[in-house]
Amino acid sequence: MNAFTGTGKLIRLVLRRDRVLLPLWVAFLCVVPVVFVSAFTGAYPTDEARQHYYETSVHTRAFTVAYGLLNGSSLGELVAWRSGFLTFMVGLLALLTVIRHTRTEEEAGRRELVGATAVSRHADLAAALIVTCGACLVLGLASALALIGQGLPAAGSLALGLGFTATGWVFAAIGSVTAQLTTGAGGARAIGVTVLGIAIILRGAGDIAAQVGDGPAWASWLTPLGWAEALRPYSGERWWVLALAAAVVAALSALAVALSARRDLGSGMFQARLGPAGAGPRLSSPLALAWRLHRGPMISRVVGLALVGLVVGAMAASLGTLMDNSGAAARQALARLGGPGTLVDQFLTPMMVMLGLICACFAIQATLLLRNEERDGRAEALLATPVNRLRWAGSHFVFTLLGPALGVVAFGAAAGLAHGLNTGAVARELPRLLSAALVQLPAVWLFTGIAFALFGLLPRLVAGAFAAAVVSMLFGWVGGELQLDQWVVDLSVFEHVPKLLGGDMAITPLLIMTAAAAALVAIGLAGFGRRDMPTP
Amino acid sequence: MMTETDAITMAGLVKSFGPTQALNGLDLVVRVGEVHGFLGPNGAGKSTTIRILLGLMRPDAGTARLLGGDPWTQTGELHRRLAYVPGDVTLWPNLSGGEAIDLLGRLRGGLNRRRRDELIERFDLDPRRKGRTYSKGNRQKVALVAALASDAELLILDEPTSGLDPLMEEVFRQTVQEVQRAGGRTVLLSSHILSEVEALCDRVTIIRDGRTVESGTMAQLRHLTRTSIDAELAGPADGLAGLPGVHGLRGEGGRVRFSVDAAALDAALRQLTAAGVRSLVSRPPTLEELFLRHYDRASASAGGRHAEAAR
Ligand SMILES: Nc1ncnc2c1ncn2[C@@H]1O[C@H](COP(=O)(O)OP(=O)(O)OP(=O)(O)O)[C@@H](O)[C@H]1O
Ligand SMILES: [Mg+2]
């Protein structure tokens, strides 16, 4: 029996457990680039139209951060560029899938059950990696075939598809390493997502520098997201980048196996310490318990958002200056867009929308914590005491509101401070950016509402609120850009948030969203009061 | 009818989860001050019954009364008076065992500090470890200490000793006996461990496929048990086979073996002496046999029962 015996059996187990989710996200990610093809051919049917679109887009910083560098105006290049943000999602999904089948299993004790059968120590790691990487390969090849089917050049389509694959592989490998570090799956996810967040920022910064022709353009090369872009699909493919990704995947997987070999089942590189023998005087209410459970993830998210806010604020400030120093063509573009203030705002506005999406995910995650308390049976012990359901759910509800609110404030304040310091106008920028961040809150809370309604009525589907958030984001982002029907764009919650930076305040949508959120929460709580628990 | 003397009365409880019929007309009466054993094979519906008692689930039909109140609507008041140990204890990964014990105790309205420390000592529990690092038995101990250190008048224990080692099982038995003797408290004890039930319980209810199949005091149940006989005879005892109350008769050479209901014992012995007894070994009735018979028949008749339900 070698160190990987039983991997085959576990692969079947992983595939069975993921038989719905995995095909779903692979299919979804395959379809998106195809949608771009038809959308671009519909909206910009001629070469001239595409050239015009290219010229107006190539200098827009927000696009560069989200999608990467735009290399040319051919249909393939436009589609590849617009698909740039999909690599974030491929990375995130690969990361979460690997952790889900390794550390989550181990934490739940199911790994132990499987481990007692003829399965050796690295088998679960290998199985999770093989399935995830296999899914990414299928995703890459299927997207390539679909794009070739749309009449795009074969080489470029393959490069675009394999770019997804390579990103997925690297993040799967990153997930396999983080899963060895902490004893809890939550910690492993937090580390992994932080790595992804840093990668997004680095790529954005590097690409902007490359676009402007000044600054640390090499930063993109530090990230797997940058490698997918460096493959240059439809734009003189550079296949050797794949070898770089493969080498990194091999190194990270080897590291994960080495870490896994050095630790005991259930433990991590960071060991759990002993706790107090009795509870402190304050731990005597459901609210105090909820605070204990939420504070760790909440604090790390708020700190993370503050850091990202500082970086974004600092970047925004330097944009205008860089533009000024970067030649006539850039200055011309600048003039066309209407002054440096607008340019900076143009960069910051989608950042605020992104902030809204991230905080919506935090709100959903906080609700999931409540659901997991129920699913894992801990709520049962609490509800057998005089604590009633409403009080228990309410104690968690506080943090589904508070967590995202603190996150929004931290980001807005940090970005405002950094931007203000750079421009010497803290008094102006801090309140301006802070309020632009704060108006996201009603939209964020709407997702608390959706998650709570699901918790009360269809508790197994609470995680489905994530899908609602992502779809909302996509409709707003893609729909508006590709001139889809307005009603499609309107499906995006974030579309209705007033854009304070360069736009006007509108109180009505905020009130409507808040009221809808309150109604959804009320529906969820009413349903929860009536239903059986736990529902496994 | 609810009377002062009943802590729990459940009648005709029905509960289904989609296609699964978990409870199928279950009856359960637990009197104040008694330790009541609650037995049944896996999946019989014990935990489901307990969840209904705790107001975590609502029955599809039937009535349930707990401490004179409605378990679904009056959770707040009723739960002040009871303590619960779940069948499968899960703890908060980041809370130490001691913190979990104190938290549950305080939520229940305070716990007896001295008793808590004494129980931790007796159960040999390290209260400083974090929830995720406890073994199954130790998680069980955390829940047991939290429940037994309370002054609740009703203890609802769902397989409380699963995962405990024999030594700790003994500690559990002693503690329950003390608790009950001292305060005259009521205990509902779901268990698969028959010796535990025999040692602790005054009355027992046995359920199978969501239905009550037997209920009564230990003495009454013993009456339902059978004596096993192993005898060497001088001649053939042909009358035995036709005797009602004689089960599992086997004979070879001059030996016969069978088990016999208490009511038919006299008649069976008459048949034996008529044939001439050379030697005789009789084993006294054990509850174990009775339980096993009920557990066993469940699997034998399960197919028929489900077919019935389908029709
Ligand atoms: N939430 C639920 N959803 C669906 N089925 C359930 C649920 N809870 C219990 N069941 C089913 O109801 C039946 C009774 O389960 P229950 O847990 O009450 O049995 P039990 O007597 O406690 O068994 P054990 O001795 O194994 O603990 C089983 O068939 C079980 O699968
Ligand atoms: Mg049970």
Side-chain angles (χ1 to χ4, degrees):
Chain A
M1 170 153 157
N2 70 26
F4 294 96
T5 308
T7 305
K9 249 191 294 181
L10 286 186
I11 287 177
R12 278 195 296 278
L13 183 68
V14 171
L15 282 175
R16 216 201 98 73
R17 291 198 56 220
D18 247 352
R19 67 188 182 281
V20 180
L21 218 54
L22 208 61
L24 212 64
W25 67 256
V26 167
F28 174 75
L29 290 172
C30 280
V31 168
V32 176
V34 176
V35 172
F36 290 149
V37 175
S38 53
F40 271 116
T41 40
Y44 309 99
T46 62
D47 282 349
E48 292 80 64
R50 279 199 286 274
Q51 182 64 31
H52 181 74
Y53 177 82
Y54 166 78
E55 279 163 15
T56 53
S57 303
V58 72
H59 296 296
T60 310
R61 296 297 177 268
F63 286 173
T64 307
V65 173
Y67 308 132
L69 290 171
L70 178 52
N71 297 318
S73 66
S74 73
L75 180 60
E77 282 164 320
L78 287 174
V79 169
W81 168 72
R82 179 45 61 96
S83 303
F85 77 97
L86 290 179
T87 54
F88 306 172
M89 295 173 69
V90 177
L92 182 68
L93 288 165
L95 183 84
L96 295 182
T97 306
V98 167
I99 293 174
R100 188 164 116 81
H101 290 291
T102 51
R103 181 52 76 174
T104 310
E105 288 298 286
E106 199 171 321
E107 190 184 19
R110 285 188 289 267
R111 171 68 181 78
E112 227 167 322
L113 208 65
V114 174
T117 64
V119 163
S120 58
R121 75 170 301 126
H122 305 312
D124 65 327
L125 189 59
L129 270 175
I130 289 171
V131 170
T132 311
C133 291
C136 293
L137 187 63
V138 170
L139 163 65
L141 296 178
S143 331
L145 283 177
L147 291 169
I148 293 169
Q150 294 284 307
L152 288 178
S157 303
L158 194 61
L160 181 59
L162 290 181
F164 292 158
T165 305
T167 312
W169 284 28
V170 176
F171 277 99
I174 290 173
S176 71
V177 173
T178 62
Q180 311 305 318
L181 296 180
T182 59
T183 45
R189 275 195 296 268
I191 297 177
V193 170
T194 308
V195 171
L196 178 64
I198 292 173
I200 292 176
I201 293 173
L202 282 179
R203 195 200 74 168
D207 285 353
I208 285 190
Q211 187 180 32
V212 170
D214 188 9
W218 46 264
S220 302
W221 281 97
L222 297 179
T223 78
L225 304 173
W227 303 335
E229 191 186 19
L231 268 167
R232 295 182 71 94
Y234 307 107
S235 195
E237 291 77 11
R238 291 190 289 201
W239 300 106
W240 56 266
V241 178
L242 288 175
L244 173 65
V248 169
V249 169
L252 286 172
S253 309
L255 177 63
V257 168
L259 290 175
S260 153
R262 290 185 45 183
R263 66 184 185 84
D264 296 334
L265 188 61
S267 72
M269 285 293 126
F270 308 137
Q271 279 299 342
R273 290 179 305 264
L274 285 181
R282 264 172 304 179
L283 186 60
S284 58
S285 68
L287 191 65
L289 174 65
W291 163 241
R292 265 298 279 277
L293 300 177
H294 285 274
R295 74 177 176 197
M298 198 167 90
I299 290 172
S300 58
R301 285 168 194 161
V302 170
V303 170
L305 276 178
L307 290 177
V308 175
L310 281 177
V311 172
V312 165
M315 264 164 59
S318 58
L319 268 182
T321 347
L322 279 174
M323 284 302 287
D324 263 354
N325 300 339
S326 57
R331 261 197 298 278
Q332 225 175 337
L334 187 90
R336 218 177 15 244
L337 292 167
T342 324
L343 183 77
V344 170
D345 287 350
Q346 232 191 14
F347 165 74
L348 285 174
T349 296
M351 287 292 151
M352 293 299 174
V353 176
M354 189 83 104
L355 168 73
L357 180 75
I358 291 171
C359 288
C361 290
F362 290 169
I364 296 167
Q365 250 168 356
T367 315
L368 264 177
L369 197 152
L370 164 79
R371 164 62 187 154
N372 291 344
E373 285 287 292
E374 176 190 0
R375 192 199 54 196
D376 299 345
R378 289 183 289 269
E380 192 171 310
L382 277 188
L383 293 173
T385 71
V387 173
N388 70 29
R389 292 183 184 207
L390 207 59
R391 203 166 144 224
W392 173 69
S395 67
H396 286 270
F397 175 62
V398 170
F399 295 98
T400 66
L401 296 187
L402 189 66
L406 291 178
V408 160
V409 169
F411 180 93
L417 189 70
H419 183 47
L421 284 176
N422 263 357
T423 53
V426 175
R428 191 177 89 93
E429 297 299 346
L430 185 59
R432 206 171 69 93
L433 267 59
L434 186 57
S435 47
L438 275 173
V439 288
Q440 308 293 329
L441 258 190
V444 171
W445 284 340
L446 195 55
F447 288 95
T448 301
I450 292 173
F452 250 82
L454 287 170
F455 172 68
L457 302 176
L458 300 163
R460 253 170 282 196
L461 300 184
V462 174
F466 281 123
V470 169
V471 165
S472 178
M473 188 70 187
L474 280 181
F475 282 165
W477 215 347
V478 176
E481 197 41 44
L482 297 181
Q483 298 165 16
L484 296 183
D485 284 349
Q486 189 56 37
W487 68 267
V488 179
V489 180
D490 283 345
L491 285 179
S492 166
V493 172
F494 298 103
E495 201 55 33
H496 302 282
V497 175
K499 297 184 173 38
L500 288 193
L501 302 173
D504 292 325
M505 178 65 179
I507 199 81
T508 320
L510 297 182
L511 289 178
I512 291 175
M513 282 192 260
T514 310
L520 284 167
V521 169
I523 289 171
L525 289 179
F528 175 57
R530 241 177 284 275
R531 73 171 167 83
D532 285 346
M533 68 174 295
T535 51
Chain B
M1 259 304 287
M2 177 76 203
T3 66
E4 290 283 322
T5 55
D6 293 338
I8 297 172
T9 29
M10 303 177 102
L13 279 194
V14 175
K15 177 79 195 174
S16 48
F17 301 102
T20 325
Q21 185 88 8
L23 298 183
N24 207 347
L26 181 126
D27 305 308
L28 174 68
V29 177
V30 177
R31 300 193 182 133
V32 169
E34 74 180 3
V35 180
H36 193 102
F38 193 35
L39 294 102
N42 291 132
K46 301 180 295 296
S47 300
T48 305
T49 307
I50 289 176
R51 290 205 174 99
I52 290 174
L53 272 180
L54 292 170
L56 296 166
M57 286 180 176
R58 200 155 33 169
D60 300 336
T63 54
R65 302 285 290 173
L66 171 71
L67 299 171
D70 180 337
W72 177 262
T73 55
Q74 292 170 276
T75 50
E77 318 141 48
L78 295 178
H79 289 184
R80 229 174 285 284
R81 298 161 60 191
L82 64 82
Y84 167 56
V85 175
D88 195 359
V89 177
T90 47
L91 298 173
W92 294 276
N94 296 323
L95 259 61
S96 70
E99 286 180 305
I101 291 171
D102 289 349
L103 174 68
L104 289 172
R106 287 171 191 174
L107 292 179
R108 210 177 276 127
L111 84 179
N112 186 328
R113 188 88 214 158
R114 202 178 43 78
R115 202 160 161 66
R116 165 200 186 272
D117 294 341
E118 186 190 308
L119 283 168
I120 286 178
E121 181 100 353
R122 271 169 114 184
F123 277 108
D124 192 22
L125 177 73
D126 180 354
R128 290 170 309 155
R129 308 211 23 197
K130 294 284 179 75
R132 72 159 68 89
T133 66
Y134 279 119
S135 65
K136 162 141 181 58
N138 282 322
R139 285 200 302 270
Q140 204 73 34
K141 289 182 198 171
V142 169
L144 275 172
V145 170
L148 293 172
S150 75
D151 293 324
E153 61 192 88
L154 172 64
L155 295 175
I156 297 181
L157 313 176
D158 192 357
E159 295 183 42
T161 54
S162 62
L164 292 193
D165 64 39
L167 214 62
M168 290 304 137
E169 228 172 84
E170 191 48 43
V171 172
F172 167 76
R173 276 179 213 186
Q174 285 169 7
T175 316
V176 171
Q177 275 165 344
E178 278 170 28
V179 160
Q180 208 245 349
R181 241 181 267 130
R185 294 199 241 172
T186 312
V187 182
L188 176 63
L189 171 68
S190 131
S191 175
H192 289 299
I193 301 174
L194 307 169
S195 58
E196 181 177 283
V197 174
E198 281 199 80
L200 290 176
C201 297
D202 308 309
R203 293 200 320 130
V204 172
T205 296
I206 304 177
I207 68 167
R208 191 183 61 216
D209 294 337
R211 237 190 277 265
T212 307
V213 290
E214 211 81 77
S215 182
T217 63
M218 291 310 245
Q220 283 168 336
L221 289 189
R222 273 204 188 88
H223 198 68
L224 295 172
T225 59
R226 297 164 184 169
T227 310
S228 356
I229 307 273
D230 185 345
E232 208 177 318
L233 302 178
D238 295 327
L240 270 181
L243 211 61
V246 171
H247 306 270
L249 180 67
R250 273 179 301 151
E252 52 187 54
R255 278 173 79 101
V256 287
R257 286 181 215 198
F258 57 92
S259 56
V260 55
D261 292 342
L265 187 59
D266 190 46
L269 286 180
R270 256 182 245 284
Q271 290 285 339
L272 292 183
T273 43
V277 179
R278 287 222 179 100
S279 78
L280 182 130
V281 180
S282 87
R283 237 177 345 103
T286 63
L287 277 177
E288 183 143 348
E289 254 175 308
L290 174 71
F291 295 147
L292 288 182
R293 232 188 306 148
H294 282 306
Y295 274 46
D296 222 25
R297 256 196 290 158
S299 58
S301 67
R305 187 171 304 276
H306 288 314
E308 235 174 67
R311 249 180 273 132

